[in-house]
Tab-separated table of all heavy atoms in Angstrom:
chain	number	residue	atom	x	y	z
A	42	LEU	N	110.785	-95.288	170.483
A	42	LEU	CA	111.892	-95.432	171.426
A	42	LEU	C	112.436	-94.105	171.911
A	42	LEU	O	112.775	-93.957	173.092
A	42	LEU	CB	113.013	-96.250	170.772
A	42	LEU	CG	112.704	-97.709	170.441
A	42	LEU	CD1	113.853	-98.341	169.681
A	42	LEU	CD2	112.404	-98.494	171.706
A	43	PHE	N	112.542	-93.123	171.001
A	43	PHE	CA	113.235	-91.878	171.337
A	43	PHE	C	112.306	-90.699	171.587
A	43	PHE	O	112.712	-89.714	172.212
A	43	PHE	CB	114.219	-91.507	170.215
A	43	PHE	CG	115.267	-92.557	169.974
A	43	PHE	CD1	115.653	-92.909	168.692
A	43	PHE	CD2	115.873	-93.209	171.028
A	43	PHE	CE1	116.614	-93.873	168.466
A	43	PHE	CE2	116.838	-94.177	170.819
A	43	PHE	CZ	117.211	-94.508	169.534
A	44	PHE	N	111.067	-90.769	171.100
A	44	PHE	CA	110.127	-89.678	171.296
A	44	PHE	C	109.122	-90.011	172.389
A	44	PHE	O	108.728	-89.134	173.170
A	44	PHE	CB	109.398	-89.380	169.977
A	44	PHE	CG	108.495	-88.183	170.020
A	44	PHE	CD1	108.997	-86.913	170.234
A	44	PHE	CD2	107.127	-88.322	169.843
A	44	PHE	CE1	108.171	-85.805	170.263
A	44	PHE	CE2	106.290	-87.221	169.865
A	44	PHE	CZ	106.808	-85.962	170.081
A	45	GLY	N	108.729	-91.283	172.472
A	45	GLY	CA	107.737	-91.690	173.456
A	45	GLY	C	108.110	-91.358	174.891
A	45	GLY	O	107.289	-90.798	175.633
A	46	PRO	N	109.337	-91.670	175.338
A	46	PRO	CA	109.693	-91.363	176.734
A	46	PRO	C	109.633	-89.880	177.069
A	46	PRO	O	109.460	-89.526	178.246
A	46	PRO	CB	111.135	-91.888	176.838
A	46	PRO	CG	111.205	-92.981	175.819
A	46	PRO	CD	110.368	-92.500	174.678
A	47	LEU	N	109.759	-89.002	176.080
A	47	LEU	CA	109.684	-87.561	176.343
A	47	LEU	C	108.285	-87.134	176.751
A	47	LEU	O	108.106	-86.086	177.390
A	47	LEU	CB	110.116	-86.774	175.103
A	47	LEU	CG	111.559	-86.964	174.624
A	47	LEU	CD1	111.798	-86.182	173.345
A	47	LEU	CD2	112.539	-86.518	175.695
A	48	LEU	N	107.276	-87.914	176.366
A	48	LEU	CA	105.888	-87.535	176.625
A	48	LEU	C	105.350	-88.106	177.923
A	48	LEU	O	104.234	-87.777	178.329
A	48	LEU	CB	104.997	-88.021	175.469
A	48	LEU	CG	105.382	-87.557	174.061
A	48	LEU	CD1	104.414	-88.134	173.038
A	48	LEU	CD2	105.405	-86.046	173.969
A	49	THR	N	106.133	-88.952	178.575
A	49	THR	CA	105.658	-89.607	179.791
A	49	THR	C	105.275	-88.581	180.854
A	49	THR	O	106.037	-87.652	181.152
A	49	THR	CB	106.747	-90.543	180.355
A	49	THR	OG1	107.108	-91.483	179.338
A	49	THR	CG2	106.226	-91.298	181.566
A	50	ASP	N	104.068	-88.732	181.399
A	50	ASP	CA	103.536	-87.890	182.481
A	50	ASP	C	103.224	-86.468	182.041
A	50	ASP	O	102.894	-85.622	182.879
A	50	ASP	CB	104.505	-87.836	183.672
A	50	ASP	CG	104.730	-89.216	184.279
A	50	ASP	OD1	103.782	-90.017	184.261
A	50	ASP	OD2	105.844	-89.473	184.768
A	51	LEU	N	103.293	-86.170	180.738
A	51	LEU	CA	102.900	-84.843	180.264
A	51	LEU	C	101.392	-84.807	180.032
A	51	LEU	O	100.799	-85.782	179.560
A	51	LEU	CB	103.624	-84.496	178.961
A	51	LEU	CG	105.131	-84.246	179.056
A	51	LEU	CD1	105.684	-83.902	177.674
A	51	LEU	CD2	105.438	-83.116	180.028
A	52	PRO	N	100.729	-83.668	180.327
A	52	PRO	CA	99.285	-83.545	180.055
A	52	PRO	C	99.057	-83.344	178.558
A	52	PRO	O	99.309	-82.266	178.013
A	52	PRO	CB	98.887	-82.303	180.860
A	52	PRO	CG	100.140	-81.492	180.969
A	52	PRO	CD	101.281	-82.471	180.994
A	53	LEU	N	98.571	-84.370	177.890
A	53	LEU	CA	98.415	-84.327	176.439
A	53	LEU	C	96.978	-84.079	175.996
A	53	LEU	O	96.675	-84.169	174.803
A	53	LEU	CB	98.924	-85.642	175.819
A	53	LEU	CG	100.403	-85.962	176.076
A	53	LEU	CD1	100.774	-87.296	175.443
A	53	LEU	CD2	101.293	-84.852	175.540
A	54	GLY	N	96.120	-83.798	176.919
A	54	GLY	CA	94.759	-83.449	176.553
A	54	GLY	C	93.881	-84.620	176.190
A	54	GLY	O	92.781	-84.434	175.680
A	55	GLY	N	94.329	-85.832	176.418
A	55	GLY	CA	93.526	-87.016	176.113
A	55	GLY	C	93.121	-87.740	177.382
A	55	GLY	O	93.569	-87.417	178.490
A	56	ARG	N	92.261	-88.742	177.222
A	56	ARG	CA	91.802	-89.498	178.382
A	56	ARG	C	92.775	-90.599	178.760
A	56	ARG	O	92.735	-91.112	179.873
A	56	ARG	CB	90.419	-90.095	178.091
A	56	ARG	CG	89.298	-89.085	178.239
A	56	ARG	CD	88.020	-89.621	177.649
A	56	ARG	NE	88.104	-89.721	176.197
A	56	ARG	CZ	87.135	-90.188	175.430
A	56	ARG	NH1	86.032	-90.630	175.989
A	56	ARG	NH2	87.280	-90.226	174.124
A	57	GLY	N	93.647	-91.007	177.866
A	57	GLY	CA	94.605	-92.045	178.162
A	57	GLY	C	95.960	-91.482	178.551
A	57	GLY	O	96.155	-90.274	178.623
A	58	ASN	N	96.895	-92.393	178.806
A	58	ASN	CA	98.253	-91.933	179.101
A	58	ASN	C	98.996	-91.630	177.806
A	58	ASN	O	98.445	-91.734	176.707
A	58	ASN	CB	98.990	-92.974	179.946
A	58	ASN	CG	99.081	-94.326	179.253
A	58	ASN	OD1	99.208	-94.421	178.031
A	58	ASN	ND2	99.019	-95.392	180.035
A	59	SER	N	100.259	-91.265	177.932
A	59	SER	CA	101.016	-90.818	176.763
A	59	SER	C	101.157	-91.916	175.713
A	59	SER	O	101.141	-91.647	174.508
A	59	SER	CB	102.393	-90.320	177.195
A	59	SER	OG	103.146	-91.357	177.830
A	60	TRP	N	101.290	-93.177	176.157
A	60	TRP	CA	101.439	-94.272	175.199
A	60	TRP	C	100.145	-94.506	174.432
A	60	TRP	O	100.167	-94.855	173.248
A	60	TRP	CB	101.857	-95.560	175.917
A	60	TRP	CG	103.204	-95.454	176.561
A	60	TRP	CD1	103.469	-95.449	177.898
A	60	TRP	CD2	104.473	-95.308	175.911
A	60	TRP	NE1	104.816	-95.312	178.122
A	60	TRP	CE2	105.459	-95.231	176.909
A	60	TRP	CE3	104.870	-95.237	174.580
A	60	TRP	CZ2	106.811	-95.095	176.641
A	60	TRP	CZ3	106.213	-95.099	174.296
A	60	TRP	CH2	107.174	-95.025	175.313
A	61	GLN	N	99.015	-94.314	175.085
A	61	GLN	CA	97.723	-94.476	174.416
A	61	GLN	C	97.434	-93.333	173.450
A	61	GLN	O	96.532	-93.437	172.624
A	61	GLN	CB	96.605	-94.588	175.456
A	61	GLN	CG	96.650	-95.888	176.248
A	61	GLN	CD	95.709	-95.881	177.432
A	61	GLN	OE1	95.702	-94.934	178.220
A	61	GLN	NE2	94.918	-96.919	177.568
A	62	VAL	N	98.176	-92.256	173.569
A	62	VAL	CA	98.073	-91.153	172.614
A	62	VAL	C	99.048	-91.341	171.457
A	62	VAL	O	98.697	-91.166	170.286
A	62	VAL	CB	98.329	-89.807	173.325
A	62	VAL	CG1	98.448	-88.669	172.303
A	62	VAL	CG2	97.209	-89.509	174.309
A	63	LEU	N	100.279	-91.721	171.784
A	63	LEU	CA	101.335	-91.789	170.774
A	63	LEU	C	101.197	-92.999	169.853
A	63	LEU	O	101.314	-92.877	168.626
A	63	LEU	CB	102.706	-91.811	171.456
A	63	LEU	CG	103.922	-91.943	170.530
A	63	LEU	CD1	104.026	-90.731	169.601
A	63	LEU	CD2	105.200	-92.114	171.326
A	64	VAL	N	100.967	-94.183	170.411
A	64	VAL	CA	100.986	-95.414	169.603
A	64	VAL	C	99.934	-95.414	168.505
A	64	VAL	O	100.236	-95.791	167.364
A	64	VAL	CB	100.865	-96.656	170.517
A	64	VAL	CG1	100.730	-97.920	169.674
A	64	VAL	CG2	102.077	-96.756	171.425
A	65	PRO	N	98.682	-95.006	168.752
A	65	PRO	CA	97.734	-94.941	167.637
A	65	PRO	C	98.203	-94.044	166.497
A	65	PRO	O	98.015	-94.368	165.315
A	65	PRO	CB	96.464	-94.387	168.292
A	65	PRO	CG	96.550	-94.837	169.701
A	65	PRO	CD	98.010	-94.734	170.039
A	66	GLY	N	98.829	-92.926	166.837
A	66	GLY	CA	99.356	-92.057	165.788
A	66	GLY	C	100.465	-92.714	164.992
A	66	GLY	O	100.534	-92.585	163.767
A	67	LEU	N	101.334	-93.451	165.680
A	67	LEU	CA	102.423	-94.141	164.984
A	67	LEU	C	101.899	-95.253	164.083
A	67	LEU	O	102.440	-95.496	163.004
A	67	LEU	CB	103.410	-94.710	166.004
A	67	LEU	CG	104.192	-93.690	166.830
A	67	LEU	CD1	105.128	-94.403	167.797
A	67	LEU	CD2	104.993	-92.753	165.925
A	68	LEU	N	100.839	-95.926	164.517
A	68	LEU	CA	100.250	-96.973	163.676
A	68	LEU	C	99.742	-96.384	162.361
A	68	LEU	O	99.987	-96.934	161.280
A	68	LEU	CB	99.092	-97.656	164.417
A	68	LEU	CG	99.454	-98.563	165.584
A	68	LEU	CD1	98.187	-99.082	166.250
A	68	LEU	CD2	100.329	-99.718	165.123
A	69	LEU	N	99.044	-95.271	162.458
A	69	LEU	CA	98.499	-94.670	161.241
A	69	LEU	C	99.592	-93.977	160.431
A	69	LEU	O	99.481	-93.868	159.211
A	69	LEU	CB	97.384	-93.698	161.606
A	69	LEU	CG	96.158	-94.384	162.218
A	69	LEU	CD1	95.116	-93.358	162.634
A	69	LEU	CD2	95.542	-95.381	161.260
A	70	GLN	N	100.645	-93.517	161.101
A	70	GLN	CA	101.788	-92.988	160.361
A	70	GLN	C	102.412	-94.080	159.506
A	70	GLN	O	102.830	-93.842	158.362
A	70	GLN	CB	102.827	-92.430	161.331
A	70	GLN	CG	104.034	-91.813	160.634
A	70	GLN	CD	105.214	-91.629	161.574
A	70	GLN	OE1	105.664	-92.579	162.201
A	70	GLN	NE2	105.696	-90.402	161.686
A	71	LEU	N	102.465	-95.291	160.042
A	71	LEU	CA	102.995	-96.432	159.303
A	71	LEU	C	102.206	-96.652	158.023
A	71	LEU	O	102.778	-96.820	156.937
A	71	LEU	CB	102.936	-97.677	160.192
A	71	LEU	CG	103.501	-98.980	159.636
A	71	LEU	CD1	105.003	-98.878	159.443
A	71	LEU	CD2	103.167	-100.123	160.584
A	72	GLY	N	100.874	-96.641	158.127
A	72	GLY	CA	100.046	-96.807	156.945
A	72	GLY	C	100.118	-95.622	156.005
A	72	GLY	O	100.136	-95.788	154.776
A	73	LEU	N	100.174	-94.425	156.572
A	73	LEU	CA	100.183	-93.215	155.748
A	73	LEU	C	101.403	-93.153	154.846
A	73	LEU	O	101.283	-93.049	153.611
A	73	LEU	CB	100.135	-91.975	156.664
A	73	LEU	CG	100.285	-90.606	155.990
A	73	LEU	CD1	99.101	-90.331	155.085
A	73	LEU	CD2	100.414	-89.506	157.042
A	74	PHE	N	102.583	-93.248	155.418
A	74	PHE	CA	103.802	-93.100	154.620
A	74	PHE	C	104.081	-94.345	153.778
A	74	PHE	O	104.498	-94.229	152.624
A	74	PHE	CB	104.987	-92.786	155.526
A	74	PHE	CG	105.024	-91.360	155.992
A	74	PHE	CD1	104.446	-90.993	157.197
A	74	PHE	CD2	105.606	-90.383	155.216
A	74	PHE	CE1	104.460	-89.674	157.616
A	74	PHE	CE2	105.630	-89.059	155.629
A	74	PHE	CZ	105.051	-88.706	156.833
A	75	GLY	N	103.853	-95.516	154.344
A	75	GLY	CA	104.129	-96.725	153.581
A	75	GLY	C	103.234	-96.865	152.367
A	75	GLY	O	103.692	-97.142	151.256
A	76	ALA	N	101.928	-96.658	152.556
A	76	ALA	CA	100.985	-96.849	151.451
A	76	ALA	C	101.107	-95.764	150.401
A	76	ALA	O	100.954	-96.027	149.201
A	76	ALA	CB	99.559	-96.897	152.002
A	77	LEU	N	101.378	-94.538	150.809
A	77	LEU	CA	101.486	-93.453	149.827
A	77	LEU	C	102.634	-93.684	148.852
A	77	LEU	O	102.545	-93.289	147.685
A	77	LEU	CB	101.664	-92.117	150.540
A	77	LEU	CG	100.386	-91.405	150.992
A	77	LEU	CD1	100.725	-90.131	151.747
A	77	LEU	CD2	99.479	-91.086	149.804
A	78	PHE	N	103.694	-94.315	149.308
A	78	PHE	CA	104.852	-94.534	148.433
A	78	PHE	C	104.796	-95.873	147.712
A	78	PHE	O	105.736	-96.233	147.015
A	78	PHE	CB	106.142	-94.428	149.243
A	78	PHE	CG	106.522	-93.010	149.584
A	78	PHE	CD1	106.125	-92.446	150.788
A	78	PHE	CD2	107.248	-92.242	148.692
A	78	PHE	CE1	106.454	-91.132	151.099
A	78	PHE	CE2	107.587	-90.926	148.988
A	78	PHE	CZ	107.187	-90.364	150.198
A	79	ALA	N	103.691	-96.614	147.862
A	79	ALA	CA	103.571	-97.909	147.194
A	79	ALA	C	103.594	-97.775	145.681
A	79	ALA	O	103.979	-98.701	144.964
A	79	ALA	CB	102.283	-98.613	147.636
A	80	GLY	N	103.176	-96.641	145.164
A	80	GLY	CA	103.098	-96.441	143.719
A	80	GLY	C	104.434	-96.469	143.009
A	80	GLY	O	104.468	-96.613	141.772
A	81	PHE	N	105.533	-96.353	143.755
A	81	PHE	CA	106.851	-96.438	143.111
A	81	PHE	C	107.019	-97.775	142.381
A	81	PHE	O	107.618	-97.834	141.306
A	81	PHE	CB	107.964	-96.282	144.155
A	81	PHE	CG	108.384	-94.864	144.388
A	81	PHE	CD1	108.192	-94.267	145.623
A	81	PHE	CD2	108.979	-94.124	143.374
A	81	PHE	CE1	108.579	-92.958	145.845
A	81	PHE	CE2	109.375	-92.811	143.590
A	81	PHE	CZ	109.168	-92.217	144.828
A	82	THR	N	106.478	-98.843	142.959
A	82	THR	CA	106.654	-100.160	142.342
A	82	THR	C	105.921	-100.255	141.018
A	82	THR	O	106.411	-100.874	140.071
A	82	THR	CB	106.157	-101.269	143.283
A	82	THR	OG1	104.764	-101.073	143.569
A	82	THR	CG2	106.942	-101.261	144.579
A	83	VAL	N	104.746	-99.642	140.921
A	83	VAL	CA	103.987	-99.743	139.675
A	83	VAL	C	104.614	-98.871	138.591
A	83	VAL	O	104.465	-99.152	137.394
A	83	VAL	CB	102.504	-99.372	139.918
A	83	VAL	CG1	102.257	-97.880	139.833
A	83	VAL	CG2	101.597	-100.093	138.924
A	84	ILE	N	105.354	-97.829	138.992
A	84	ILE	CA	106.077	-97.027	137.993
A	84	ILE	C	107.142	-97.897	137.331
A	84	ILE	O	107.301	-97.887	136.104
A	84	ILE	CB	106.708	-95.783	138.654
A	84	ILE	CG1	105.628	-94.833	139.156
A	84	ILE	CG2	107.615	-95.057	137.669
A	84	ILE	CD1	106.168	-93.634	139.899
A	85	VAL	N	107.871	-98.648	138.147
A	85	VAL	CA	108.904	-99.544	137.608
A	85	VAL	C	108.270	-100.612	136.723
A	85	VAL	O	108.732	-100.885	135.611
A	85	VAL	CB	109.706	-100.187	138.758
A	85	VAL	CG1	110.707	-101.191	138.204
A	85	VAL	CG2	110.425	-99.104	139.571
A	86	GLU	N	107.202	-101.231	137.215
A	86	GLU	CA	106.546	-102.280	136.436
A	86	GLU	C	105.964	-101.734	135.134
A	86	GLU	O	106.010	-102.403	134.097
A	86	GLU	CB	105.428	-102.921	137.264
A	86	GLU	CG	105.934	-103.774	138.411
A	86	GLU	CD	104.793	-104.488	139.110
A	86	GLU	OE1	103.620	-104.128	138.860
A	86	GLU	OE2	105.071	-105.400	139.893
A	87	ASN	N	105.438	-100.545	135.191
A	87	ASN	CA	104.874	-99.941	133.983
A	87	ASN	C	105.960	-99.688	132.950
A	87	ASN	O	105.776	-99.919	131.746
A	87	ASN	CB	104.162	-98.634	134.338
A	87	ASN	CG	103.175	-98.197	133.276
A	87	ASN	OD1	102.623	-99.019	132.545
A	87	ASN	ND2	102.949	-96.906	133.178
A	88	GLY	N	107.119	-99.232	133.409
A	88	GLY	CA	108.225	-98.991	132.490
A	88	GLY	C	108.778	-100.262	131.875
A	88	GLY	O	109.286	-100.250	130.746
A	89	GLN	N	108.669	-101.377	132.601
A	89	GLN	CA	109.153	-102.660	132.096
A	89	GLN	C	108.100	-103.431	131.309
A	89	GLN	O	108.363	-104.529	130.832
A	89	GLN	CB	109.641	-103.517	133.267
A	89	GLN	CG	110.840	-102.933	133.994
A	89	GLN	CD	111.216	-103.724	135.238
A	89	GLN	OE1	110.414	-104.519	135.755
A	89	GLN	NE2	112.425	-103.513	135.729
Side-chain angles (χ1 to χ4, degrees):
L42 294 174
F43 300 138
F44 186 64
L47 297 177
L48 304 179
T49 303
D50 298 327
L51 291 181
L53 300 179
R56 281 167 291 178
N58 59 35
S59 61
W60 296 112
Q61 291 170 311
V62 171
L63 177 63
V64 174
L67 294 180
L68 289 176
L69 294 177
Q70 182 196 55
L71 183 66
L73 174 66
F74 283 93
L77 275 177
F78 284 93
F81 271 116
T82 60
V83 85
I84 294 176
V85 176
E86 289 186 347
N87 199 28
Q89 296 174 343

